[in-house]
Amino acid sequence: MQKRPHDSTAAEFVDLNFIQAAHDLKLADDVTELLRVPWRELQVAVPIRLDSGQLRTFSGYRVQHNGARGPYKGGIRYHPEATRDEVAALASLMTWKTALVDIPFGGAKGGIQVDPTKLSNAELNRLTRMYTANISHIIGPKRDIPAPDMGTNAQIMAWMMDAYSRQFGHNPAIVTGKPVDLGGSIGRESAPGKGCIFALQKWAELKNIDLSTKTIAVQGFGNMGYWVASAASKIGCTVIAVADITGGTYNQQGIDVAKLNEHTKSKSPLGKYAQGETITNEELLSLEVDILVPAAKGGVITTDIADRVRASTILEAANSPITKEAEEILEQNNITILPDILVNSGGVIVSYFEWAQNIQEFQWEEERVERELLQRISKGFADVWEESVASKITLRNAAFKLSVEKVAKAALLRGFV
Ligand code: NAD
């Protein structure tokens, strides 16, 4: 591999994985080019009045990477680092993710470069409505269906749905991850985290590993991190450390995830949790633990820390948490990586269920949501495992290979003249 002067960005890493898959599949150069570039990108100004009366203009994006297999699908991120390049990389990752778990969508991602914690609820509401209005001509229930991601949540999806419906008529299928009272799917909020644990269970079953003897450390205690930690402890893993942007807490005997969640409701930092010792994020990433779960932002495991990671398995709940260069070090150190594209697909799978329920104006029971989520993740994992064993490639390379093959087939079948 050609040496780069820095750790790969998320965009570079997704692109490298795609190129590797295209090479493994012996795709022609023209097909590779068709699948590599985003099919549409939109940058919008998002001007709002702050509560102080000051006018602020934020940059917003929606990147539709590939729509060969169905309407574009992907989350909306509110984060200071939600740049065009990051959004484009995540959009491409969505194309491969939806194909891998066989849901009839393409890939997209959106974002606003903003720190949502610095805005009031009223400001966030105005920001979301302005952004929705400015991208409304390229989204739609059969065109492009946004969902929550980092910094956004069910309330923000409700505002998006309302803004869109005011313009085009009542339309719950325009976004997923809505509150259940507005047509959201039961089980959508917990799906990304539970899905990661379903994937971990499938891997343990294939490797004959007893998860009830394993320790786990989770970086991130938002939607993803909380549900990963909660589901992990329910299946008997011992959660020994949790961190978020404020720092972390560590207890070798195990952390009561529900109690820790109660603690965060008082807005007190995780490091101040009375039943644990304070640790930094860096300490969490290099803890002596069986399973390390990055579940916060991307690019946290770089060459600076990779050699100090002591976990034997990394469950990539976050999107693109490891750089390419760090991955090489982890592989040399025999650390197994369960890749994001596969393990964190629970969110988009249940988003698909939500969209299907909205189109049919019908609501599923929680039991059906969980059962079908488990089936899809387990099948996806088994397919990737089989390909990885048969072709002697990593789980990540196998996952990209299977998904790029499906998207290439769909794109070519649609016909280009
Ligand atoms: P969230 O906004 O609910 O939570 C993010 C968490 O990360 C918070 O606890 C925050 O404190 C922490 N964090 C942010 N920056 C950090 C830093 N520099 N160091 C340590 N912790 C930091 O977001 P989420 O929905 O939980 O998403 C987390 C990750 O999971 C993202 O990478 C996202 O793309 C991925 N993901 C989310 C979903 C979903 O549906 N929620 C689905 C698939 C993947």
Side-chain angles (χ1 to χ4, degrees):
M1 196 191 67
Q2 211 184 345
K3 193 90 188 117
R4 278 180 298 276
H6 58 84
D7 272 84
S8 60
T9 61
E12 287 166 339
F13 193 20
V14 175
D15 196 44
L16 285 167
N17 284 309
F18 164 70
I19 293 294
Q20 180 66 51
H23 176 264
D24 291 348
L25 291 162
K26 301 189 175 47
L27 286 188
D29 289 350
D30 49 2
V31 179
T32 302
E33 187 59 16
L34 170 69
L35 301 188
R36 189 179 194 181
V37 294
W39 286 11
R40 186 193 269 146
E41 296 185 29
L42 181 64
Q43 177 171 357
V44 291
V46 192
I48 57 156
R49 286 236 174 253
L50 301 181
D51 295 343
S52 64
Q54 187 200 345
L55 184 66
R56 276 283 303 275
T57 302
F58 297 93
S59 291
Y61 307 91
R62 186 70 182 168
V63 176
Q64 297 173 334
H65 177 259
N66 186 294
R69 296 183 59 265
Y72 300 101
K73 186 89 190 81
I76 305 282
R77 178 172 285 201
Y78 287 180
H79 196 275
E81 287 163 28
T83 58
R84 179 264 157 210
D85 283 358
E86 174 161 297
V87 169
L90 292 164
S92 150
L93 194 60
M94 286 305 294
T95 298
W96 316 126
K97 199 180 287 185
T98 52
L100 185 64
V101 288
D102 259 332
I103 55 177
F105 290 134
K109 204 83 181 185
I112 304 181
Q113 247 178 298
V114 60
D115 182 350
T117 61
K118 301 259 159 59
L119 297 186
S120 70
N121 251 2
E123 288 166 340
L124 276 174
N125 189 338
R126 292 197 287 277
L127 183 84
T128 302
R129 287 174 190 280
M130 183 60 81
Y131 172 69
T132 308
N134 292 352
I135 64 165
S136 64
H137 57 298
I138 64 160
I139 60 173
K142 293 282 174 78
R143 282 175 180 270
D144 182 354
I145 307 120
D149 190 69
M150 251 174 97
T152 56
N153 55 26
Q155 175 60 76
I156 286 172
M157 293 306 109
W159 291 330
M160 282 195 88
M161 177 195 133
D162 187 63
Y164 187 87
S165 296
R166 278 169 194 258
Q167 214 176 337
F168 299 100
H170 185 64
N171 225 321
I174 179 60
V175 285
T176 57
K178 297 175 293 292
V180 174
D181 290 329
L182 283 179
S185 179
I186 296 169
R188 168 62 181 83
E189 199 183 294
S190 59
K194 282 187 179 169
C196 286
I197 298 303
F198 290 161
L200 183 70
Q201 285 178 296
K202 185 69 194 173
W203 169 76
E205 180 194 314
L206 290 162
K207 296 268 291 178
N208 209 8
I209 289 171
D210 176 8
L211 286 175
S212 70
T213 62
K214 301 298 175 200
T215 55
I216 187 162
V218 184
Q219 184 194 43
F221 203 55
N223 182 264
M224 180 61 102
Y226 165 72
W227 283 105
V228 165
S230 164
S233 51
K234 288 213 169 88
I235 61 161
C237 293
T238 309
V239 179
I240 61 165
V242 177
D244 68 4
I245 197 157
T246 64
T249 184
Y250 164 76
N251 184 337
Q252 188 62 33
Q253 303 316 310
I255 292 168
D256 183 324
V257 177
K259 279 196 185 141
L260 186 65
N261 195 35
E262 278 306 309
H263 167 87
T264 59
K265 287 195 180 134
S266 64
K267 303 262 180 236
S268 175
L270 288 184
K272 294 244 161 83
Y273 182 56
Q275 277 84 43
E277 289 168 38
T278 306
I279 53 165
T280 63
N281 271 279
E282 209 171 319
E283 285 165 342
L284 178 136
L285 295 174
S286 50
L287 262 186
E288 179 101 44
V289 65
D290 296 313
I291 302 154
L292 175 64
V293 190
K297 59 182 208 132
V300 290
I301 303 183
T302 62
T303 43
D304 288 340
I305 189 127
D307 241 339
R308 283 180 280 143
V309 171
R310 285 183 291 164
S312 55
T313 304
I314 299 180
L315 177 69
E316 288 188 328
N319 281 314
S320 304
I322 302 175
T323 67
K324 177 72 188 158
E325 296 74 6
E327 183 182 65
E328 285 167 7
I329 297 171
L330 298 169
E331 279 168 7
Q332 275 160 21
N333 293 347
N334 284 324
I335 297 172
T336 302
I337 301 169
L338 307 180
D340 51 3
I341 174 177
L342 175 61
V343 305
N344 75 19
S345 57
V348 75
I349 292 174
V350 176
S351 271
Y352 163 51
F353 299 162
E354 178 174 332
W355 176 82
Q357 290 169 68
N358 292 156
I359 300 267
Q360 295 171 25
E361 302 195 23
F362 189 76
Q363 191 159 61
W364 296 5
E365 301 288 333
E366 186 164 11
E367 183 275 329
R368 178 170 177 193
V369 173
E370 284 220 0
R371 177 168 36 87
E372 297 216 12
L373 171 63
L374 175 65
Q375 269 171 13
R376 281 189 188 257
I377 296 243
S378 303
K379 173 161 188 321
F381 204 104
D383 292 347
V384 169
W385 178 263
E386 202 177 298
E387 177 59 33
S388 131
V389 172
S391 299
K392 299 191 176 56
I393 53 180
T394 63
L395 290 170
R396 193 189 312 279
N397 287 342
F400 270 83
K401 192 175 165 194
L402 292 180
S403 50
V404 171
E405 187 174 27
K406 287 186 206 176
V407 180
K409 207 180 234 177
L412 291 176
L413 279 170
R414 292 183 79 131
F416 288 90
V417 289

